[in-house]
Amino acid sequence: MRIITGKYKGRHFDIPRSFKARPTTDFAKENIFNVLTGYVDFEGAAALDLFSGTGSISLELLSRGCSQVVSVELDRDHHRFIQDCLRKLDDKACVPLRTDVFRFLKSCHQQFDVIFADPPYALKELPQIPDLVLGKPLLKEGGVFVFEHGKDYDFSSHPHFLEHRAYGSVNFTLFSANSL
């Protein structure tokens, strides 16, 4: 796993072979972050990374200047891996939480400039996630919610839909805080 750009550009972290999580490919990650720079100023931004997996997105957000990143991952080994990566970077701006995303969403009262969610593609609750995130005031005015999902989903009729991008088999739907 590699950090694409920013203050940690080029840093590599070896993901254990036993991991179930599949990190977002460098190609897809670089392209979606290029798109996001048109919507979000990462410098000083508050970010939320749901279903963090390997922490690839959290680390990229930190590298690009986010002042706070909340990283939510339930799996014990993945959470520990994220903590280890943060220790190696000696970066205290990320708060790695080991908890269930759905439980976290019910109790979270903080607002974020950017929210990223990369749930397992086979998760049965996957189609409800945009409404769960956007149904609460988690996203600041002008903020963007990035939702990674498989090709079988189309969220273009959602009232908060901003745009859709596909990079190989990786699909991202972007949503805005307010309906357009």
Side-chain angles (χ1 to χ4, degrees):
M1 175 176 77
R2 178 176 67 95
I3 298 176
I4 304 295
T5 199
K7 64 184 175 183
Y8 302 125
K9 179 181 179 176
R11 293 287 300 264
H12 286 267
F13 299 93
D14 293 325
I15 300 167
R17 292 180 185 260
S18 61
F19 273 24
K20 298 174 288 239
R22 41 150 188 74
T24 302
T25 65
D26 285 354
F27 175 75
K29 184 168 61 170
E30 183 171 12
N31 280 289
I32 197 61
F33 271 93
N34 286 341
V35 171
L36 285 174
T37 58
Y39 292 109
V40 178
D41 179 7
F42 292 106
E43 195 63 42
L48 174 61
D49 182 13
L50 302 170
F51 305 96
S52 298
T54 62
S56 173
I57 298 299
S58 293
L59 297 175
E60 194 69 40
L61 290 163
L62 284 174
S63 186
R64 290 169 186 259
C66 287
S67 60
Q68 182 193 29
V69 177
V70 176
S71 178
V72 182
E73 174 56 46
L74 181 60
D75 184 276
R76 181 193 66 213
D77 294 334
H78 296 179
H79 178 260
R80 189 177 305 124
F81 179 77
I82 294 167
Q83 289 177 311
D84 290 344
C85 291
L86 292 169
R87 266 192 290 281
K88 289 175 183 170
L89 295 176
D90 193 29
D91 196 314
K92 309 283 190 265
C94 184
V95 179
L97 301 177
R98 183 174 171 239
T99 189
D100 177 74
V101 165
F102 299 105
R103 186 176 300 136
F104 174 83
L105 289 173
K106 285 180 186 174
S107 63
C108 182
H109 299 290
Q110 184 177 349
Q111 286 194 310
F112 301 92
D113 298 290
V114 62
I115 299 173
F116 197 102
D118 179 11
Y121 288 5
L123 187 71
K124 67 179 172 70
E125 297 92 351
L126 188 142
Q128 289 81 44
I129 292 172
D131 288 334
L132 290 172
V133 170
L134 297 163
K136 293 185 70 176
L138 296 173
L139 199 56
K140 290 181 183 176
E141 181 76 29
V144 176
F145 169 43
V146 182
F147 188 46
E148 184 175 336
H149 55 85
K151 63 178 171 47
D152 297 331
Y153 295 96
D154 177 6
F155 297 97
S156 60
S157 63
H158 194 282
H160 295 273
F161 176 80
L162 201 53
E163 67 175 283
H164 174 262
R165 297 289 178 119
Y167 306 105
S169 63
V170 180
N171 287 263
F172 295 99
T173 300
L174 281 66
F175 301 89
S176 66
N178 299 316
S179 55
L180 301 175

